[in-house]
Amino acid sequence: AQTVTQSQPEMSVQEAETVTLSCTYDTSESNYYLFWYKQPPSRQMILVIRQEAYKQQNATENRFSVNFQKAAKSFSLKISDSQLGDTAMYFCAFMTPGAQKLVFGQGTRLTINP
Amino acid sequence: NAGVTQTPKFQVLKTGQSMTLQCAQDMNHEYMSWYRQDPGMGLRLIHYSVGAGITDQGEVPNGYNVSRSTTEDFPLRLLSAAPSQTSVYFCASSYSRTGTQDEQFFGPGTRLTVL
């Protein structure tokens, strides 16, 4: 069974700093998809970034980028120039084609301080 | 488009009561699913559907029923509520029948408390 582990339950940084959230996963599949979701206090789940395992290039979305290390089964999220609005729970998630379900990590609560 | 809508937003039940959580999407998505979110455990899949008339179990299906009579609606039924079902419930949908490469859109969630 696939598992996703986020080893940092909570993190806190100052506004404008860069922060990296860690995620590791376990799978025997070679083709899969990885995601980072943001859940602000409103509770809404928002897709931040997506990575296809067959793509070697790390995905980037504005201030958000990932460091995808397939051999190490690691998928970290880097937030540059952090803003107060980045305060949220962040979930790493994994999906294999045809599995029809997202497997989520436990989440990291990120607080951006003014 | 309203996206994925869920009702109610909050609900308190007594042990043994039954209720239905409603989920609807207006994006003509094939794939719909229900997750529950518990502290320290992330989101876990309860049931999912790849189209009208087709449903299947996820990781934690016990105590829940679903049906998919239309593309738009995917209600989740609690047959006899238990305190262990106290959680936040999310409905999600995506265009692809496999729900894989396409983005999954989540509803706003329903916070359920069972006393």
Side-chain angles (χ1 to χ4, degrees), chain A residues 33 39 43-44 50 95 100, chain B residues 31 37 99-101 106 109:
Chain A
Y33 300 85
Q39 186 180 44
R43 208 168 62 197
Q44 183 69 48
R50 171 175 53 205
M95 179 181 274
Q100 296 167 334
Chain B
Y31 178 88
Q37 181 181 11
T100 303
Q101 66 272 27
F106 283 82

Side-chain angles (χ1 to χ4, degrees), chain B residues 73-96:
Chain B
D73 301 297
F74 190 45
L76 178 72
R77 297 182 188 84
L78 280 68
L79 307 173
S80 177
S84 61
Q85 293 179 304
T86 293
S87 187
V88 179
Y89 291 84
F90 287 95
C91 180
S93 74
S94 72
Y95 179 76
S96 167

Side-chain angles (χ1 to χ4, degrees), chain B residues 6-23 34 46-47 61-67 74-82 85-89 109-115:
Chain B
Q6 290 182 237
T7 55
K9 285 187 169 51
F10 301 93
Q11 183 70 49
V12 179
L13 292 177
K14 294 181 180 179
T15 296
Q17 288 185 316
S18 62
M19 81 159 294
T20 299
L21 306 184
Q22 300 292 344
C23 174
W34 278 101
I46 304 171
H47 285 285
N62 292 341
Y64 307 95
N65 272 0
V66 292
S67 60
F74 190 45
L76 178 72
R77 297 182 188 84
L78 280 68
L79 307 173
S80 177
Q85 293 179 304
T86 293
S87 187
V88 179
Y89 291 84
T110 295
R111 181 176 293 278
L112 175 67
T113 301
V114 183
L115 303 175

